[in-house]
Amino acid sequence: MDYNFQEIEKNWQQYWRDHHTYRASIDTTRQKYYVLDMFPYPSGAGLHVGHPLGYIASDIYSRYKRLNGFNVLHPMGYDAYGLPAEQYAIQTGQHPEVTTVKNIARYREQLDKIGFCFDWEREVRTCDPKYYKWTQWVFLKMFNSYYDTALDKARPISDLVDRFSAHGTEGCNAYGSEDLNFSAEQWNAMSKAERDDVLMNYRIAYRGNTMVNWCPKLGTVLANDEVSEGVSVRGGYPVEQKLMSQWCLRVSAYAPRLLRDLDTINWTESIKETQRNWIGRSEGAEMLFPLVGKEEKLLIFTTRADTIFGVTFMVLAPESDYVNLVVTPEQREAVDAYLDEVKHKTERERLIEKKVSGVFSGSYAVNPVSGKEIPIYISDYVLAGYGTGAIMAVPAHDSRDYAFARHFNLPIIPLIEGADVSEESFDAKEGVMTNSSNERLQLNGLQVKEAIAKTKEYIAEACIGRVKVNYRLRDAIFSRQRYWGEPFPIYYDENNRPQALDESELPLQLPEVDAFLPTEDGEPPLGRAKNWVAANGRPLELCTMPGFAGSSAYYLRYMDPHNDSALVGKEADEYWRQVDLYVGGTEHATGHLIYSRFWNKFLYDYGVVCEPEPFKKLINQGMIQGRSNFVYRIKDTNTFVSHGLKKQYDVTPIHVDVNIVKNDVLDLEKFKQWRPEFADAEFVLEDGKYICGWAIEKKSKSMYNVVNPDDIVERYGADTLRLYEMFLGPVEASKPWDTNGIDGVNRFLKRLWGLFFKGDEMQLVDEQPTAEALKSIHKLIKKVTGDIEQFSYNTSVAAFMICVNELSAMKCRSRAVYHDLVVLLAPFAPHIAEELWHSLGETTTVCDAQWPKWNDEYLKEDTVKYAVSFNGKPRYNIEVAAGTDKADIEQLALNHEGAARWLDGKTPRKIIVVPGKLVNIVV
RNA sequence: GCUCGGAUGGUGGAAUCGGUAGACACGAGGGACUUAAAAUCCCUUGGCCAUUACGGCUGUGUGGGUUCAAGUCCCACUCCGAGUACCA
């Protein structure tokens, strides 16, 4: 009986299904371990070889933990809402749900073939009303909450209402979009609509007028993390800035906690750093600049308070509220023209042009320290959304201000000794201050850092500003003008103010529409739904939630997926608590991984969950890149020349399907059949073979470098695929998918099989293992145990190969040894492990076995190697019996046949004999 | 520009604390078995020079440094990748 992987894999997959082998349930007598993969978006293309990389890695860890006695939760589900299904629906008229369900079925089929230990009874789908009921529920809770900066947590909005009616905003610690000030009397005198407007300033899920990334092509707004370099991440369409009323989540309120708690989680430094940059904490000062001839003052934010004496002008963002305040009638026309120009530039154009532009407002401000009058400009290099949307410009020490000053011929005053600002600004925060003293403030002679501190003190004392910490993190824009997403549990009252549905009305199900396009009046697709009204007859919200809504808390739902009365029950939450190991790609660093942390913290504030962070440890699997193959056609012919000979001809490289190439050798027959125009192709071969060229490129259909895991499973089996994906290199490294070498792994499994069976005959016997065999297997136990803990699976696979080769060479037939080997292999290649386990006469499944422990006694070396150096020069190595003492080793080193060659009869000044640790012997 | 990674044979990659660099695998070359092929097994395989030798030299992107000893630590640089971008 040969190693028949097809039969073995089919049978065991069936067995696991029939016996619910991977069902997880709460068991307080055992320690839990929660392993999670980022759930996939079920795209029409099906699973590709990049997907399973992370899934296999986490599957190995899950199985390993289980063999070590942990109660493992390892679920899987689908991030089922998304733009591609909807785009497809627009094109074909097919309901996105239909394609989604179809794609999910295909994903499931593919996943099943790889032999994962997922508990499918806990599957979630974000588009399932039973699931999105809880997405809507959390949204309602956010709508009904505000953030209390004193308690540093979310609180019910009703508390704030009570507070306002008793004290107004006096001593109020609510985090809001704007600083509002009113008394209790004023509050009580407000109409319902006015109060609603005020509360909207504080709600955690709020509707606000913000500049959004509007993608005309997709017909929707996008979050910051969905836009990269001025185009949409999905589709690559241009994105422009637009002021719109949108649902937002007040993520910015959680910025300090999101930053601080990064120190408590076990993620890679690089991804934590990415989040730190995204959150972007910056410590500075806000300062008030009086306006010439006006009561009002300009509030600016700066991190360089020390450069106050170098301020030669001010700049406002085009969208700043200050603009109308400062524009003089003479400048009105010029300013309007500029604002119009800015408005029509897309984000992308702004990024590409990088041209200095701006306009003088006509007004002047007064430097509050020097008393000098300085002009106020308007320019799009100042962003409305950061700080106060207004800056003090210090051209000598800021490159952007410098460029602006040069363009408009504004004065540049250097403030740091020795700084040469004739060509460029001096941006470094170092040096000694100069030109920075008057009767109010003396900074000359101070270091920059001291000067910043002293200026901050001064502005506080002089009441011209305050110390302020700013965050770059913006509130998340939460509306999408699309169909295929969660409906908002929101209706609009007679004042057109949004109101929450009652919890009992959830889930609010997605209605049917006749087309998935915007309506004729430009309303989102839900505008087409008939009877899209709340129970009270009022119209419901027409936008839907974005993709990250459903993915922000899915890890919680897995803990208790069928609970109809809570997102997650107390018992389940307190047992499973948080994800112990989360595996997924780095592309979610500033999206999903921030939103989930925010979402979790919000729920933590209300005690819905008991852990402040959702993902304790995070492993980022690398991207699988494509590896394309090329054939070289001689120009104007149908003749193809092999890679090694192509220099002799004038050739055009053409992508060739990697699936008809093996180890870079082209299958000529398949090539001829591949496309009609190649049917009568001719070839110039080298050594009788056609060798293809190759390149690392993105995976794409047009480059014919997409490899489907099904084909690999079909040809080599799931166990080979699993081992090979791990053997390819470290899980965390990006690497091209390259099937060269998969044979090696397959051969290993065949060799292993051959150790158990010769023909149909079982080869193993109940005999005492030799010391040699014990050493080999215990070396493996130690190596694999250590490797799995460090996710170093590629070296584990190598260790398996070595061990199998050793056992084979020593003709070891002892069952006891193979018993351990099979258990060790079970996480990596579960099907063959089950089969071999069974053949050893075991009646349980290998999943319920015990992970073996190694015994150091068996691992002792009888000899120890030493490196010897004389007089500081490394010379040679000697090997001595273990336990030899220092003096003897030294003598042996001297007596070594090599010693004479180096010593030339002389006595060495210094001998160093080194085993693992450094031993110095001076003679 | 800034931040974070990385650079080791023909290829993917090993090297836990600084201790025989190149594990393991692919590919390549040679051999065995076979009528032949496939499959399988064995040997060689960083480079250079030797090959009477179980031999010598060199070698981890570049240039310095620390150390008895550096792929590993320190300084400077080059190149590549990823993220981010007018954040004051």
Side-chain angles (χ1 to χ4, degrees), chain A residues 303 381 400 472 747 865 872 918:
Chain A
T303 56
Y381 84 88
R400 296 151 305 179
R472 206 183 76 114
R747 252 171 241 157
K865 288 170 183 169
L918 187 73

PDB file of all heavy atoms in Angstrom, chain A residues 303 381 400 472 747 865 872 918, chain B residues 12 19-20 26 68 86-88:
ATOM      1  N   THR A 303       4.125  73.045  17.789  1.00  0.00           N
ATOM      2  CA  THR A 303       5.015  72.252  18.658  1.00  0.00           C
ATOM      3  C   THR A 303       6.314  73.020  18.880  1.00  0.00           C
ATOM      4  O   THR A 303       7.167  72.569  19.615  1.00  0.00           O
ATOM      5  CB  THR A 303       5.375  70.898  18.007  1.00  0.00           C
ATOM      6  OG1 THR A 303       5.943  71.143  16.729  1.00  0.00           O
ATOM      7  CG2 THR A 303       4.171  70.006  17.874  1.00  0.00           C
ATOM      8  N   TYR A 381      -1.705  74.320   2.147  1.00  0.00           N
ATOM      9  CA  TYR A 381      -0.739  73.458   2.840  1.00  0.00           C
ATOM     10  C   TYR A 381      -1.059  73.363   4.318  1.00  0.00           C
ATOM     11  O   TYR A 381      -0.503  72.526   5.033  1.00  0.00           O
ATOM     12  CB  TYR A 381       0.711  73.875   2.555  1.00  0.00           C
ATOM     13  CG  TYR A 381       1.315  74.983   3.396  1.00  0.00           C
ATOM     14  CD1 TYR A 381       1.946  74.704   4.604  1.00  0.00           C
ATOM     15  CD2 TYR A 381       1.310  76.298   2.951  1.00  0.00           C
ATOM     16  CE1 TYR A 381       2.545  75.705   5.358  1.00  0.00           C
ATOM     17  CE2 TYR A 381       1.899  77.309   3.689  1.00  0.00           C
ATOM     18  CZ  TYR A 381       2.512  77.013   4.900  1.00  0.00           C
ATOM     19  OH  TYR A 381       3.096  78.010   5.635  1.00  0.00           O
ATOM     20  N   ARG A 400       8.080  73.952   5.046  1.00  0.00           N
ATOM     21  CA  ARG A 400       6.890  74.343   4.289  1.00  0.00           C
ATOM     22  C   ARG A 400       6.677  75.847   4.376  1.00  0.00           C
ATOM     23  O   ARG A 400       6.357  76.511   3.391  1.00  0.00           O
ATOM     24  CB  ARG A 400       5.674  73.597   4.814  1.00  0.00           C
ATOM     25  CG  ARG A 400       5.780  72.106   4.598  1.00  0.00           C
ATOM     26  CD  ARG A 400       5.036  71.346   5.646  1.00  0.00           C
ATOM     27  NE  ARG A 400       5.487  71.723   6.982  1.00  0.00           N
ATOM     28  CZ  ARG A 400       4.992  71.225   8.085  1.00  0.00           C
ATOM     29  NH1 ARG A 400       4.023  70.364   8.048  1.00  0.00           N
ATOM     30  NH2 ARG A 400       5.461  71.596   9.258  1.00  0.00           N
ATOM     31  N   ARG A 472      -3.344  62.984  15.692  1.00  0.00           N
ATOM     32  CA  ARG A 472      -3.589  62.961  14.270  1.00  0.00           C
ATOM     33  C   ARG A 472      -4.807  62.092  13.934  1.00  0.00           C
ATOM     34  O   ARG A 472      -5.438  62.256  12.913  1.00  0.00           O
ATOM     35  CB  ARG A 472      -2.349  62.355  13.587  1.00  0.00           C
ATOM     36  CG  ARG A 472      -2.123  62.770  12.169  1.00  0.00           C
ATOM     37  CD  ARG A 472      -0.916  62.015  11.655  1.00  0.00           C
ATOM     38  NE  ARG A 472      -1.277  60.648  11.361  1.00  0.00           N
ATOM     39  CZ  ARG A 472      -1.285  60.129  10.134  1.00  0.00           C
ATOM     40  NH1 ARG A 472      -0.909  60.859   9.125  1.00  0.00           N
ATOM     41  NH2 ARG A 472      -1.631  58.883   9.930  1.00  0.00           N
ATOM     42  N   ARG A 747       8.205  13.995  -1.073  1.00  0.00           N
ATOM     43  CA  ARG A 747       9.107  12.852  -0.921  1.00  0.00           C
ATOM     44  C   ARG A 747       9.296  12.489   0.551  1.00  0.00           C
ATOM     45  O   ARG A 747       9.345  11.322   0.912  1.00  0.00           O
ATOM     46  CB  ARG A 747      10.491  13.222  -1.488  1.00  0.00           C
ATOM     47  CG  ARG A 747      10.811  12.538  -2.787  1.00  0.00           C
ATOM     48  CD  ARG A 747      12.073  13.125  -3.380  1.00  0.00           C
ATOM     49  NE  ARG A 747      11.772  13.698  -4.672  1.00  0.00           N
ATOM     50  CZ  ARG A 747      12.474  14.642  -5.274  1.00  0.00           C
ATOM     51  NH1 ARG A 747      13.543  15.158  -4.680  1.00  0.00           N
ATOM     52  NH2 ARG A 747      12.131  15.076  -6.447  1.00  0.00           N
ATOM     53  N   LYS A 865      32.929  19.866  21.615  1.00  0.00           N
ATOM     54  CA  LYS A 865      33.860  20.491  20.686  1.00  0.00           C
ATOM     55  C   LYS A 865      34.369  21.804  21.268  1.00  0.00           C
ATOM     56  O   LYS A 865      33.620  22.547  21.892  1.00  0.00           O
ATOM     57  CB  LYS A 865      33.167  20.759  19.344  1.00  0.00           C
ATOM     58  CG  LYS A 865      32.917  19.505  18.561  1.00  0.00           C
ATOM     59  CD  LYS A 865      32.027  19.785  17.380  1.00  0.00           C
ATOM     60  CE  LYS A 865      31.730  18.481  16.639  1.00  0.00           C
ATOM     61  NZ  LYS A 865      30.679  18.641  15.638  1.00  0.00           N
ATOM     62  N   GLY A 872      45.796  34.823  20.421  1.00  0.00           N
ATOM     63  CA  GLY A 872      44.761  35.674  19.847  1.00  0.00           C
ATOM     64  C   GLY A 872      44.318  35.304  18.456  1.00  0.00           C
ATOM     65  O   GLY A 872      43.410  35.910  17.921  1.00  0.00           O
ATOM     66  N   LEU A 918      32.767  31.247  26.788  1.00  0.00           N
ATOM     67  CA  LEU A 918      34.145  31.691  26.668  1.00  0.00           C
ATOM     68  C   LEU A 918      34.978  31.206  27.849  1.00  0.00           C
ATOM     69  O   LEU A 918      34.607  31.360  29.002  1.00  0.00           O
ATOM     70  CB  LEU A 918      34.168  33.210  26.637  1.00  0.00           C
ATOM     71  CG  LEU A 918      35.504  33.856  26.341  1.00  0.00           C
ATOM     72  CD1 LEU A 918      35.852  33.691  24.884  1.00  0.00           C
ATOM     73  CD2 LEU A 918      35.443  35.309  26.722  1.00  0.00           C
TER      74      LEU A 918
ATOM     75  P     G B  12      16.387  33.387  -3.572  1.00  0.00           P
ATOM     76  OP1   G B  12      15.735  34.701  -3.697  1.00  0.00           O
ATOM     77  OP2   G B  12      17.754  33.288  -3.019  1.00  0.00           O
ATOM     78  O5'   G B  12      15.451  32.425  -2.714  1.00  0.00           O
ATOM     79  C5'   G B  12      14.079  32.293  -3.075  1.00  0.00           C
ATOM     80  C4'   G B  12      13.426  31.308  -2.138  1.00  0.00           C
ATOM     81  O4'   G B  12      14.002  29.986  -2.327  1.00  0.00           O
ATOM     82  C3'   G B  12      13.660  31.576  -0.665  1.00  0.00           C
ATOM     83  O3'   G B  12      12.804  32.611  -0.211  1.00  0.00           O
ATOM     84  C2'   G B  12      13.334  30.209  -0.064  1.00  0.00           C
ATOM     85  O2'   G B  12      11.948  30.012  -0.031  1.00  0.00           O
ATOM     86  C1'   G B  12      13.973  29.268  -1.104  1.00  0.00           C
ATOM     87  N9    G B  12      15.346  28.924  -0.716  1.00  0.00           N
ATOM     88  C8    G B  12      16.495  29.584  -1.082  1.00  0.00           C
ATOM     89  N7    G B  12      17.573  29.058  -0.564  1.00  0.00           N
ATOM     90  C5    G B  12      17.106  27.999   0.191  1.00  0.00           C
ATOM     91  C6    G B  12      17.823  27.054   0.983  1.00  0.00           C
ATOM     92  O6    G B  12      19.037  26.985   1.178  1.00  0.00           O
ATOM     93  N1    G B  12      16.963  26.136   1.594  1.00  0.00           N
ATOM     94  C2    G B  12      15.599  26.131   1.451  1.00  0.00           C
ATOM     95  N2    G B  12      14.939  25.180   2.113  1.00  0.00           N
ATOM     96  N3    G B  12      14.929  27.005   0.704  1.00  0.00           N
ATOM     97  C4    G B  12      15.736  27.896   0.109  1.00  0.00           C
ATOM     98  P     G B  19      27.368  32.685  18.290  1.00  0.00           P
ATOM     99  OP1   G B  19      26.803  32.777  16.933  1.00  0.00           O
ATOM    100  OP2   G B  19      26.573  32.235  19.418  1.00  0.00           O
ATOM    101  O5'   G B  19      28.669  31.782  18.207  1.00  0.00           O
ATOM    102  C5'   G B  19      29.567  31.953  17.111  1.00  0.00           C
ATOM    103  C4'   G B  19      30.678  30.949  17.240  1.00  0.00           C
ATOM    104  O4'   G B  19      31.606  31.385  18.264  1.00  0.00           O
ATOM    105  C3'   G B  19      30.219  29.557  17.652  1.00  0.00           C
ATOM    106  O3'   G B  19      31.053  28.610  17.019  1.00  0.00           O
ATOM    107  C2'   G B  19      30.463  29.535  19.152  1.00  0.00           C
ATOM    108  O2'   G B  19      30.667  28.259  19.667  1.00  0.00           O
ATOM    109  C1'   G B  19      31.749  30.355  19.221  1.00  0.00           C
ATOM    110  N9    G B  19      32.028  31.001  20.494  1.00  0.00           N
ATOM    111  C8    G B  19      31.177  31.256  21.528  1.00  0.00           C
ATOM    112  N7    G B  19      31.740  31.891  22.519  1.00  0.00           N
ATOM    113  C5    G B  19      33.062  32.060  22.110  1.00  0.00           C
ATOM    114  C6    G B  19      34.147  32.672  22.748  1.00  0.00           C
ATOM    115  O6    G B  19      34.168  33.225  23.836  1.00  0.00           O
ATOM    116  N1    G B  19      35.301  32.620  21.982  1.00  0.00           N
ATOM    117  C2    G B  19      35.390  32.033  20.750  1.00  0.00           C
ATOM    118  N2    G B  19      36.575  32.083  20.165  1.00  0.00           N
ATOM    119  N3    G B  19      34.381  31.457  20.127  1.00  0.00           N
ATOM    120  C4    G B  19      33.248  31.505  20.865  1.00  0.00           C
ATOM    121  P     U B  20      30.618  27.915  15.667  1.00  0.00           P
ATOM    122  OP1   U B  20      30.321  28.915  14.628  1.00  0.00           O
ATOM    123  OP2   U B  20      29.612  26.916  16.055  1.00  0.00           O
ATOM    124  O5'   U B  20      31.957  27.133  15.266  1.00  0.00           O
ATOM    125  C5'   U B  20      33.118  27.870  14.860  1.00  0.00           C
ATOM    126  C4'   U B  20      33.678  27.216  13.618  1.00  0.00           C
ATOM    127  O4'   U B  20      33.949  25.821  13.911  1.00  0.00           O
ATOM    128  C3'   U B  20      32.738  27.208  12.406  1.00  0.00           C
ATOM    129  O3'   U B  20      33.523  27.374  11.227  1.00  0.00           O
ATOM    130  C2'   U B  20      32.142  25.814  12.408  1.00  0.00           C
ATOM    131  O2'   U B  20      31.766  25.350  11.133  1.00  0.00           O
ATOM    132  C1'   U B  20      33.327  25.009  12.933  1.00  0.00           C
ATOM    133  N1    U B  20      32.934  23.753  13.560  1.00  0.00           N
ATOM    134  C2    U B  20      33.346  22.590  12.957  1.00  0.00           C
ATOM    135  O2    U B  20      34.017  22.589  11.946  1.00  0.00           O
ATOM    136  N3    U B  20      32.936  21.450  13.573  1.00  0.00           N
ATOM    137  C4    U B  20      32.184  21.343  14.700  1.00  0.00           C
ATOM    138  O4    U B  20      31.897  20.242  15.147  1.00  0.00           O
ATOM    139  C5    U B  20      31.769  22.590  15.287  1.00  0.00           C
ATOM    140  C6    U B  20      32.154  23.730  14.702  1.00  0.00           C
ATOM    141  P     C B  26      14.915  17.879  -2.405  1.00  0.00           P
ATOM    142  OP1   C B  26      14.042  16.791  -2.858  1.00  0.00           O
ATOM    143  OP2   C B  26      16.348  17.641  -2.178  1.00  0.00           O
ATOM    144  O5'   C B  26      14.779  19.099  -3.413  1.00  0.00           O
ATOM    145  C5'   C B  26      13.484  19.556  -3.812  1.00  0.00           C
ATOM    146  C4'   C B  26      13.624  20.854  -4.565  1.00  0.00           C
ATOM    147  O4'   C B  26      14.345  21.813  -3.766  1.00  0.00           O
ATOM    148  C3'   C B  26      14.432  20.787  -5.840  1.00  0.00           C
ATOM    149  O3'   C B  26      13.685  20.223  -6.891  1.00  0.00           O
ATOM    150  C2'   C B  26      14.729  22.263  -6.052  1.00  0.00           C
ATOM    151  O2'   C B  26      13.593  22.948  -6.509  1.00  0.00           O
ATOM    152  C1'   C B  26      15.054  22.701  -4.628  1.00  0.00           C
ATOM    153  N1    C B  26      16.505  22.626  -4.342  1.00  0.00           N
ATOM    154  C2    C B  26      17.345  23.606  -4.911  1.00  0.00           C
ATOM    155  O2    C B  26      16.845  24.488  -5.614  1.00  0.00           O
ATOM    156  N3    C B  26      18.674  23.550  -4.676  1.00  0.00           N
ATOM    157  C4    C B  26      19.178  22.582  -3.910  1.00  0.00           C
ATOM    158  N4    C B  26      20.499  22.582  -3.709  1.00  0.00           N
ATOM    159  C5    C B  26      18.348  21.577  -3.320  1.00  0.00           C
ATOM    160  C6    C B  26      17.028  21.631  -3.560  1.00  0.00           C
ATOM    161  P     C B  68      40.506  40.671  23.409  1.00  0.00           P
ATOM    162  OP1   C B  68      40.856  40.253  24.786  1.00  0.00           O
ATOM    163  OP2   C B  68      41.163  41.832  22.792  1.00  0.00           O
ATOM    164  O5'   C B  68      40.681  39.419  22.432  1.00  0.00           O
ATOM    165  C5'   C B  68      41.973  39.068  21.978  1.00  0.00           C
ATOM    166  C4'   C B  68      41.898  37.727  21.294  1.00  0.00           C
ATOM    167  O4'   C B  68      41.570  36.707  22.280  1.00  0.00           O
ATOM    168  C3'   C B  68      40.794  37.581  20.260  1.00  0.00           C
ATOM    169  O3'   C B  68      41.192  38.092  19.012  1.00  0.00           O
ATOM    170  C2'   C B  68      40.585  36.082  20.219  1.00  0.00           C
ATOM    171  O2'   C B  68      41.578  35.426  19.479  1.00  0.00           O
ATOM    172  C1'   C B  68      40.746  35.721  21.699  1.00  0.00           C
ATOM    173  N1    C B  68      39.470  35.682  22.432  1.00  0.00           N
ATOM    174  C2    C B  68      38.570  34.627  22.189  1.00  0.00           C
ATOM    175  O2    C B  68      38.877  33.772  21.348  1.00  0.00           O
ATOM    176  N3    C B  68      37.415  34.564  22.861  1.00  0.00           N
ATOM    177  C4    C B  68      37.128  35.507  23.757  1.00  0.00           C
ATOM    178  N4    C B  68      35.968  35.403  24.400  1.00  0.00           N
ATOM    179  C5    C B  68      38.005  36.591  24.024  1.00  0.00           C
ATOM    180  C6    C B  68      39.159  36.638  23.355  1.00  0.00           C
ATOM    181  P     C B  86      -0.377  65.107   3.437  1.00  0.00           P
ATOM    182  OP1   C B  86      -1.819  64.875   3.393  1.00  0.00           O
ATOM    183  OP2   C B  86       0.411  65.220   2.206  1.00  0.00           O
ATOM    184  O5'   C B  86      -0.025  66.338   4.410  1.00  0.00           O
ATOM    185  C5'   C B  86       1.124  66.197   5.247  1.00  0.00           C
ATOM    186  C4'   C B  86       2.090  67.353   4.974  1.00  0.00           C
ATOM    187  O4'   C B  86       2.017  67.771   3.610  1.00  0.00           O
ATOM    188  C3'   C B  86       1.777  68.550   5.857  1.00  0.00           C
ATOM    189  O3'   C B  86       2.954  69.011   6.452  1.00  0.00           O
ATOM    190  C2'   C B  86       1.255  69.555   4.854  1.00  0.00           C
ATOM    191  O2'   C B  86       1.583  70.855   5.240  1.00  0.00           O
ATOM    192  C1'   C B  86       2.021  69.185   3.583  1.00  0.00           C
ATOM    193  N1    C B  86       1.367  69.610   2.352  1.00  0.00           N
ATOM    194  C2    C B  86       2.082  70.432   1.472  1.00  0.00           C
ATOM    195  O2    C B  86       3.243  70.734   1.758  1.00  0.00           O
ATOM    196  N3    C B  86       1.476  70.839   0.341  1.00  0.00           N
ATOM    197  C4    C B  86       0.224  70.477   0.078  1.00  0.00           C
ATOM    198  N4    C B  86      -0.324  70.903  -1.034  1.00  0.00           N
ATOM    199  C5    C B  86      -0.524  69.648   0.972  1.00  0.00           C
ATOM    200  C6    C B  86       0.084  69.245   2.090  1.00  0.00           C
ATOM    201  P     C B  87       3.587  68.181   7.673  1.00  0.00           P
ATOM    202  OP1   C B  87       4.639  69.066   8.216  1.00  0.00           O
ATOM    203  OP2   C B  87       3.912  66.810   7.247  1.00  0.00           O
ATOM    204  O5'   C B  87       2.401  68.065   8.722  1.00  0.00           O
ATOM    205  C5'   C B  87       2.145  69.110   9.676  1.00  0.00           C
ATOM    206  C4'   C B  87       1.612  68.456  10.946  1.00  0.00           C
ATOM    207  O4'   C B  87       0.271  68.051  10.677  1.00  0.00           O
ATOM    208  C3'   C B  87       2.424  67.204  11.311  1.00  0.00           C
ATOM    209  O3'   C B  87       3.196  67.305  12.488  1.00  0.00           O
ATOM    210  C2'   C B  87       1.425  66.023  11.204  1.00  0.00           C
ATOM    211  O2'   C B  87       1.458  65.159  12.265  1.00  0.00           O
ATOM    212  C1'   C B  87       0.067  66.704  11.043  1.00  0.00           C
ATOM    213  N1    C B  87      -0.729  66.053   9.988  1.00  0.00           N
ATOM    214  C2    C B  87      -1.892  65.373  10.337  1.00  0.00           C
ATOM    215  O2    C B  87      -2.230  65.338  11.521  1.00  0.00           O
ATOM    216  N3    C B  87      -2.623  64.775   9.372  1.00  0.00           N
ATOM    217  C4    C B  87      -2.228  64.817   8.102  1.00  0.00           C
ATOM    218  N4    C B  87      -2.969  64.233   7.182  1.00  0.00           N
ATOM    219  C5    C B  87      -1.047  65.499   7.730  1.00  0.00           C
ATOM    220  C6    C B  87      -0.334  66.091   8.695  1.00  0.00           C
ATOM    221  P     A B  88       3.230  67.818  13.666  1.00  0.00           P
ATOM    222  OP1   A B  88       4.235  67.231  14.521  1.00  0.00           O
ATOM    223  OP2   A B  88       1.829  67.905  14.072  1.00  0.00           O
ATOM    224  O5'   A B  88       3.771  69.264  13.345  1.00  0.00           O
ATOM    225  C5'   A B  88       3.549  70.302  14.274  1.00  0.00           C
ATOM    226  C4'   A B  88       3.875  71.595  13.618  1.00  0.00           C
ATOM    227  O4'   A B  88       3.299  71.594  12.288  1.00  0.00           O
ATOM    228  C3'   A B  88       3.294  72.819  14.311  1.00  0.00           C
ATOM    229  O3'   A B  88       4.133  73.279  15.349  1.00  0.00           O
ATOM    230  C2'   A B  88       3.184  73.817  13.185  1.00  0.00           C
ATOM    231  O2'   A B  88       4.418  74.407  12.899  1.00  0.00           O
ATOM    232  C1'   A B  88       2.780  72.896  12.031  1.00  0.00           C
ATOM    233  N9    A B  88       1.330  72.780  11.859  1.00  0.00           N
ATOM    234  C8    A B  88       0.366  72.796  12.813  1.00  0.00           C
ATOM    235  N7    A B  88      -0.847  72.671  12.356  1.00  0.00           N
ATOM    236  C5    A B  88      -0.669  72.568  10.991  1.00  0.00           C
ATOM    237  C6    A B  88      -1.574  72.414   9.929  1.00  0.00           C
ATOM    238  N6    A B  88      -2.886  72.333  10.090  1.00  0.00           N
ATOM    239  N1    A B  88      -1.083  72.346   8.691  1.00  0.00           N
ATOM    240  C2    A B  88       0.244  72.415   8.532  1.00  0.00           C
ATOM    241  N3    A B  88       1.208  72.564   9.451  1.00  0.00           N
ATOM    242  C4    A B  88       0.674  72.627  10.672  1.00  0.00           C
TER     243        A B  88
END
